[in-house]
Amino acid sequence: MEKHTKKGFLFKKYEAPFQSPFDKLFEIFKELITHTSGDFEEAIDWLRQLDVEYKLTDSDYTIDDFIEDLKKKGYIREELKEDGTSGTGITAKTERAIRQQALDQIFGNLKRSGSGNHKTKHSGSGDEQTGEYREYHFGDSLESISLTESLKNAQINNGADEFRLTENDLVVEESKFKAQMSTVLMIDISHSMILYGEDRITPAKKVAMALAELITTRYPKDTIDILVFGNDAWPIAIKDLPHLKVGPYHTNTVAGLQLAMDMLRRKRNTNKQIFMITDGKPSCVREKDGTYYMNSNGLDEYIVEQCYNQAAQARKLHIPITTFMIANDPYLQKFVNRFTEANQGKAFYTGLKGLGEMIFEDYETNRKKKIK
């Protein structure tokens, strides 16, 4: 008797994957510690409030048990605060976990691959196999010889009875160079990044952490440097990103661009680029005598002209600038348009939603072409 198998869909109630009490709280904790710029006590206070409202714990596993596990697992440690009092701070292990979470949230559809991954159109002695073959030429490295294809040629050309491999049987698999990219990410930390009841700095931090984690794990041959700019500009380490805060600053875009270009001048890579995340207009420049010229009212011609000059200077150095403007004021768009024209770069006018995906898409696009 013939057996028939029925095909179709089986619907059932969704069952969330199992998480231990620690893992469930740790996911929330990583999000909170990002919002509090690494302030452990404030993050735990928020976690306790959420516990009261949403019953995250029970008598078998409390918030205090969670804190004890954080200590045992090496996520937090006792440390001295800036005011000299003792407190609790996060460790490098937590910083790595936060970066990985940011990467999963923003670029979750990516899979880790080998180093490099920056393709060019030029064939030659590279480190990425193309699947295409050619005859062996004097000077080709032994590593580039395709043993399987060469043995097959030897059998075809000389017969299988008396095996003989000659130079004419050798074939080489073509390869491509993988371009390397050096990126500087500029983050605006002026006061406007937290004005009007909107937290803009936290999404910017998440994007920076995700991009840093992406490059260091997926493209280890590439480099990324991060700087922040307010009244001045200064570099920060990747490990400092979770602790990044907005200050009572104006926006010295010129200082940020100058520092970014100085960083990239030291890189040996041919491909260089600047990503700039900002929500405001340039409102500050530092004069040669060390004083600051500031003007927050509209677009100051003296300040913006210096921005255009920096954009043109970057163009001469073959450094494209991609501006992510998280504001939609028409006069600011006009400034960004002219700035972008001076550099021959790109500009995106975007809100906070989708910022990470846009930056990743642009990074992927730029790394696939050789910037000349």
Side-chain angles (χ1 to χ4, degrees):
M1 184 176 177
E2 191 174 336
K3 188 176 180 180
H4 296 280
T5 303
K6 294 183 178 180
K7 296 181 179 180
F9 295 98
L10 176 62
F11 294 92
K12 62 179 183 178
K13 187 177 180 181
Y14 171 75
E15 295 178 2
F18 173 77
Q19 279 188 307
S20 68
F22 174 82
D23 290 337
K24 183 173 71 172
L25 291 176
F26 191 51
E27 290 297 312
I28 303 171
F29 171 77
K30 286 185 289 185
E31 190 71 26
L32 294 177
I33 203 72
T34 302
H35 281 270
T36 63
S37 299
D39 189 321
F40 175 78
E41 280 80 11
E42 185 180 359
I44 288 298
D45 285 342
W46 285 13
L47 188 61
R48 292 187 189 278
Q49 293 177 37
L50 291 173
D51 184 30
V52 171
E53 186 171 354
Y54 297 102
K55 304 293 187 290
L56 301 176
T57 66
D58 54 32
S59 58
D60 294 329
Y61 194 85
T62 65
I63 298 295
D64 291 331
D65 294 327
F66 172 67
I67 295 173
E68 193 61 33
D69 279 347
L70 287 174
K71 292 179 182 177
K72 291 178 181 177
K73 294 175 184 289
Y75 288 110
I76 57 174
R77 63 166 180 256
E78 297 298 320
E79 62 181 16
L80 286 176
K81 295 182 178 181
E82 294 180 357
D83 59 4
T85 60
S86 62
T88 304
I90 61 175
T91 64
K93 186 176 181 180
T94 306
E95 291 162 0
R96 287 193 301 271
I98 295 171
R99 292 197 300 270
Q100 184 59 52
Q101 177 169 276
L103 178 63
D104 293 339
Q105 288 177 347
I106 296 173
F107 309 142
N109 60 333
L110 297 180
K111 301 295 182 183
R112 180 171 177 170
S113 68
S115 63
N117 247 13
H118 293 257
K119 303 176 184 178
T120 71
K121 298 178 181 178
H122 308 289
S123 296
S125 177
D127 55 1
E128 180 180 7
Q129 304 304 316
T130 66
E132 299 177 357
Y133 300 96
R134 62 170 174 81
E135 294 179 357
Y136 172 82
H137 297 146
F138 178 77
D140 287 332
S141 65
L142 294 177
E143 293 83 2
S144 64
I145 296 174
S146 173
L147 187 58
T148 302
E149 292 296 319
S150 298
L151 292 175
K152 184 173 73 173
N153 283 348
Q155 290 180 333
I156 295 172
N157 297 334
N158 307 315
D161 295 336
E162 186 177 342
F163 178 76
R164 186 160 52 94
L165 180 67
T166 69
E167 183 177 335
N168 293 332
D169 301 321
L170 298 177
V171 293
V172 171
E173 185 173 4
E174 289 277 25
S175 59
K176 287 185 178 180
F177 288 109
K178 293 179 183 178
Q180 297 176 352
M181 178 71 77
S182 290
T183 302
V184 172
L185 177 61
M186 297 172 51
I187 303 176
D188 183 352
I189 59 167
S190 62
H191 187 56
S192 60
M193 291 289 278
I194 55 170
L195 280 180
Y196 316 116
E198 185 174 35
D199 177 10
R200 296 169 174 173
I201 191 63
T202 299
K205 280 195 297 186
K206 282 188 176 182
V207 167
M209 289 190 290
L211 189 61
E213 189 71 6
L214 173 76
I215 291 174
T216 54
T217 57
R218 181 169 173 139
Y219 309 118
K221 290 185 179 180
D222 290 4
T223 67
I224 180 168
D225 292 279
I226 301 168
L227 67 86
V228 295
F229 62 104
N231 291 350
D232 290 294
W234 59 94
I236 63 170
I238 292 175
K239 66 180 180 62
D240 296 328
L241 280 169
H243 310 278
L244 189 60
K245 296 179 181 180
V246 168
Y249 306 125
H250 285 69
T251 308
N252 192 341
T253 307
V254 170
L257 293 169
Q258 289 174 336
L259 178 57
M261 284 187 278
D262 285 343
M263 289 175 162
L264 290 173
R265 282 190 185 97
R266 304 187 191 107
K267 306 297 182 183
R268 295 182 179 179
N269 295 348
T270 302
N271 298 326
K272 303 173 182 180
Q273 64 182 350
I274 296 172
F275 286 165
M276 178 167 63
I277 304 175
T278 182
D279 76 327
K281 59 184 177 293
S283 60
C284 171
V285 289
R286 189 173 184 178
E287 304 286 20
K288 293 181 180 180
D289 62 2
T291 61
Y292 294 90
Y293 174 76
M294 301 177 179
N295 185 3
S296 299
N297 298 318
L299 282 171
D300 187 291
E301 186 175 345
Y302 176 69
I303 296 174
V304 297
E305 281 298 327
Q306 292 194 47
C307 291
Y308 300 147
N309 291 339
Q310 293 301 316
Q313 178 64 25
R315 182 183 178 185
K316 290 179 182 178
L317 295 172
H318 308 293
I319 301 174
I321 303 170
T322 303
T323 304
F324 296 88
M325 175 63 77
I326 47 179
N328 53 14
D329 305 71
Y331 77 103
L332 287 180
Q333 291 190 7
K334 185 177 179 180
F335 157 71
V336 173
N337 285 340
R338 186 173 168 188
F339 177 87
T340 303
E341 183 180 353
N343 176 255
Q344 291 296 293
K346 284 181 285 186
F348 295 91
Y349 305 99
T350 175
L352 297 173
K353 186 177 181 181
L355 177 64
E357 289 86 345
M358 293 179 70
I359 287 182
F360 166 68
E361 289 290 343
D362 199 57
Y363 179 77
E364 284 281 275
T365 300
N366 289 347
R367 73 176 181 80
K368 290 177 183 175
K369 64 183 179 183
K370 192 164 187 176
I371 301 168
K372 297 181 180 181

